[in-house]
Amino acid sequence: MRSTENSLLEVQNLSVQFGGLKAASNVSLSVKNNSIAALIGPNGAGKTTVFNCITGVYTPSSGSISLASQALAPPFTLRVAFSSATIGLVCGTVLSLALNIQTLWQHIIVDHYIYLQPFPWIEALLSGVTFFQELPFSSTYLLLLIGFLVGSLAAIITWHRSRHSTLNSSQRGIARTFQNIRLFKKMSVLENILVGFSKGTNLQAARELLSFVELEKYADAPADSLSYGLQRRLEIARALATSPKIILLDEPAAGMNPTEILDLSKLIAAIKGRGISVLLIEHHMKLVMEISEHVTVLEYGEKIAEGTPAEIQKNPRVISAYLGEEESDE
């Protein structure tokens, strides 16, 4: 694996297993700041699985992912433990109160209420405390313990799931597109981009992005009225609306004609020009070799090679597993 110096995205020994199937095994790759990298390989090699782990769709079975030298999934800390314990204590208290609410109402309110006289709150509350103190162990502390354990466990499970979530990845600065275009087809082009902004409506920034991807004249048109290639551009623009540090493009050239692929190449270079790194999955080898600075190759969920485009094109194992197959299809 190449030097991690100046790396933005680091994937180390990533493995993903679904039952007995290993979709990815000890995959490592890195993407430098302000660079274009590619992840290639035959269908079923595990490329999209790696993307799904980076973007929080899947939780890795093992390995680590970091962005800007910080773990994408935050570690368990004393602060998390304290917060979970506090939630558990609140849950235990609420459970104890809920199961004794009728008797408490009698002790605190009914027994101390005297018509046309000020209500003795202090005396009433002390009566409630005394009531709990006189309860047998099984009626109060056991309920408190059960509520504490259930509440704490639920808090920890929720925290663990949020560590590997698409929201967490997006907030940290990772955006992506998908193999199958996922637009709000009946919404306008401009509205689709506005969806990408996390802090309310930002018309000026949205229109700037439309201009950047050369879609400004389609701003009010429904998304599904655009050609396939323009819909790809719109999806990329929406991802850029999240202000990412890196954008992951999953087969952006799929279904495009040569002219659209040339325009896509220029767009990806322009994205890099905005200081955003790019990692793409792509089967169009001419595009990959022309724009990528570093290429990682997967086969059957394992990394078989990495290097510059020139190095990859000469690698015998890559030629045998992938490039030779591509050339024979042309």
Side-chain angles (χ1 to χ4, degrees):
M1 185 174 176
R2 61 177 173 165
S3 170
T4 59
E5 184 180 353
N6 197 34
S7 288
L8 174 65
L9 177 69
E10 286 288 339
V11 177
Q12 294 279 356
N13 302 319
L14 182 74
S15 293
V16 182
Q17 189 162 338
F18 302 107
L21 174 66
K22 274 195 173 183
S25 180
N26 294 316
V27 174
S28 295
L29 62 87
S30 66
V31 180
K32 287 187 176 182
N33 279 300
N34 197 24
S35 71
I36 301 172
L39 183 62
I40 67 171
N43 289 329
K47 306 181 297 296
T48 299
T49 296
V50 172
F51 265 32
N52 285 339
C53 288
I54 294 172
T55 55
V57 178
Y58 294 159
T59 299
S61 303
S62 62
S64 64
I65 304 170
S66 62
L67 186 72
S69 301
Q70 298 213 348
L72 201 59
F76 190 82
T77 62
L78 287 175
R79 182 176 180 179
V80 175
F82 179 77
S83 298
S84 300
T86 301
I87 292 172
L89 185 60
V90 171
C91 289
T93 302
V94 170
L95 179 62
S96 296
L97 289 172
L99 294 180
N100 290 284
I101 190 66
Q102 185 174 355
T103 310
L104 272 175
W105 182 266
Q106 178 70 37
H107 274 264
I108 296 176
I109 304 298
V110 176
D111 290 353
H112 293 86
Y113 177 76
I114 301 176
Y115 183 64
L116 295 180
Q117 290 190 22
F119 189 81
W121 283 107
I122 295 179
E123 182 181 342
L125 292 175
L126 289 175
S127 176
V129 172
T130 302
F131 165 75
F132 269 108
Q133 289 176 338
E134 293 176 351
L135 281 176
F137 176 83
S138 59
S139 299
T140 179
Y141 296 108
L142 186 58
L143 292 174
L144 190 62
L145 178 61
I146 292 173
F148 174 80
L149 293 175
V150 172
S152 298
L153 183 60
I156 291 173
I157 291 174
T158 301
W159 168 84
H160 179 71
R161 288 182 175 177
S162 69
R163 295 172 70 222
H164 301 281
S165 67
T166 54
L167 178 60
N168 177 56
S169 296
S170 177
Q171 290 176 336
R172 293 288 302 278
I174 299 175
R176 76 170 293 179
T177 62
F178 296 84
Q179 284 179 292
N180 300 316
I181 296 174
R182 300 185 182 184
L183 295 173
F184 297 101
K185 295 187 177 182
K186 299 305 177 183
M187 291 170 60
S188 72
V189 169
L190 180 61
E191 288 169 338
N192 266 273
I193 292 184
L194 288 171
V195 169
F197 289 94
S198 61
K199 296 182 179 179
T201 303
N202 194 328
L203 284 172
Q204 183 177 350
R207 292 189 181 279
E208 188 277 329
L209 275 176
L210 277 179
S211 177
F212 175 70
V213 298
E214 300 179 352
L215 291 177
E216 60 268 36
K217 66 180 180 180
Y218 303 103
D220 298 322
D224 62 358
S225 70
L226 300 181
S227 67
Y228 184 84
L230 295 183
Q231 286 189 31
R232 283 283 186 192
R233 283 178 165 264
L234 176 55
E235 189 176 37
I236 291 171
R238 186 178 61 186
L240 292 174
T242 64
S243 301
K245 298 173 184 174
I246 182 170
I247 183 169
L248 279 58
L249 306 177
D250 196 344
E251 297 193 30
M256 288 187 175
N257 62 44
T259 300
E260 290 172 331
I261 291 175
L262 179 60
D263 291 340
L264 174 66
S265 175
K266 294 176 182 177
L267 176 59
I268 292 174
I271 290 172
K272 177 191 172 185
R274 294 169 73 103
I276 301 169
S277 294
V278 179
L279 175 62
L280 70 150
I281 293 173
E282 188 51 68
H283 287 291
H284 193 286
M285 287 299 101
K286 187 173 185 295
L287 174 66
V288 169
M289 299 305 169
E290 284 180 350
I291 67 172
S292 302
E293 300 160 36
H294 191 83
V295 180
T296 302
V297 188
L298 300 184
E299 183 185 26
Y300 299 118
E302 297 183 355
K303 182 172 74 175
I304 61 172
E306 68 173 343
T308 64
E311 292 169 339
I312 292 300
Q313 287 177 301
K314 296 176 183 177
N315 187 300
R317 188 172 179 186
V318 177
I319 293 172
S320 174
Y322 187 53
L323 295 184
E325 174 188 321
E326 290 291 311
E327 291 171 355
S328 68
D329 290 339
E330 294 179 357

